[in-house]
Amino acid sequence: MITIVTGDTNAYKTAFVEKMIHEMDQVDGILSKKKFLNERFDGYYIQQISSGICKEFLSLTLPSNQRIGEFYIQEEGLLFAKKITRQAIKEKRLVVIDELGQAELSGRVFYEELNLLLKEKANAILVIRKRLLHDFQNRFPQLNQAKIIEVRNGRKEDQGLGSQA
């Protein structure tokens, strides 16, 4: 089964997912953690759920050859995240990908991992920004069967999308 956690920017979707999986077994994948430099937002780390290991992923200040919008993609973090995700799918764990966005809709970043996850019918928790949810459901029709949880301020919202079976 796939569960999609959705909400607006800064709705504390990652914190909600962390609470959700806190006591679960057989779960692995990636969380996107905000990164600050001199108290200013500078991008995201990728954190492996099972080990807690973090790698640089998206940065406003560390140049690289690839970009997503205003962010530079850090190759080491991207490869780390892809490896973790693929391994979790292979081991039939509950796979967490935080977060899917415009890059995946454009066939980049975690696009291949999302396709593999859907092909293997893996159990997963996917974090997708609310404004992109319908685009993902149109591009990946399998996601129309997902349970949807809308989050605001780190809490499940009873209004709005709610849960769909």
Side-chain angles (χ1 to χ4, degrees):
M1 178 170 93
I2 294 177
T3 299
I4 296 173
V5 174
T6 193
D8 294 325
T9 305
N10 296 321
Y12 298 96
K13 298 178 294 289
T14 300
F16 180 84
V17 170
E18 283 183 294
K19 288 179 194 170
M20 199 173 152
I21 64 173
H22 177 69
E23 306 233 352
M24 291 183 179
D25 290 328
Q26 297 298 311
V27 62
D28 206 2
I30 55 171
L31 296 171
S32 297
K33 300 293 197 124
K34 287 184 179 179
K35 176 179 85 154
F36 293 88
L37 183 64
N38 298 326
E39 299 183 25
R40 295 186 74 204
F41 174 72
D42 186 52
Y44 295 90
Y45 293 107
I46 284 290
Q47 180 181 31
Q48 181 178 20
I49 291 167
S50 62
S51 70
I53 294 172
C54 289
K55 300 272 185 187
E56 293 266 356
F57 177 49
L58 299 176
S59 176
L60 292 170
T61 57
L62 291 174
S64 71
N65 295 331
Q66 295 186 66
R67 292 186 80 148
I68 299 174
E70 62 188 326
F71 296 103
Y72 295 102
I73 300 173
Q74 305 303 304
E75 189 72 20
E76 181 182 357
L78 178 60
L79 294 174
F80 175 71
K82 287 175 168 278
K83 180 180 175 186
I84 290 164
T85 305
R86 288 179 172 271
Q87 190 66 33
I89 294 167
K90 181 180 175 186
E91 293 175 357
K92 307 265 188 252
R93 294 176 175 255
L94 174 64
V95 181
V96 177
I97 302 178
D98 172 26
E99 108 177 26
L100 299 169
Q102 196 62 53
E104 288 76 21
L105 288 171
S106 301
R108 298 177 54 220
V109 186
F110 301 121
Y111 176 82
E112 291 174 4
E113 287 69 26
L114 177 58
N115 275 314
L116 179 62
L117 182 146
L118 295 171
K119 179 183 169 204
E120 297 292 324
K121 296 184 171 139
N123 291 322
I125 297 172
L126 306 176
V127 177
I128 301 172
R129 205 165 279 159
K130 185 177 175 181
R131 69 179 171 79
L132 297 176
L133 182 58
H134 292 296
D135 293 338
F136 269 91
Q137 289 173 317
N138 288 335
R139 177 90 190 251
F140 305 96
Q142 305 93 314
L143 297 180
N144 288 310
Q145 303 304 312
K147 176 181 178 183
I148 308 291
I149 300 173
E150 184 176 1
V151 175
R152 274 196 205 140
N153 297 320
R155 294 194 169 109
K156 182 178 175 182
E157 272 298 305
D158 293 328
Q159 314 270 323
L161 300 173
S163 294
Q164 300 171 352

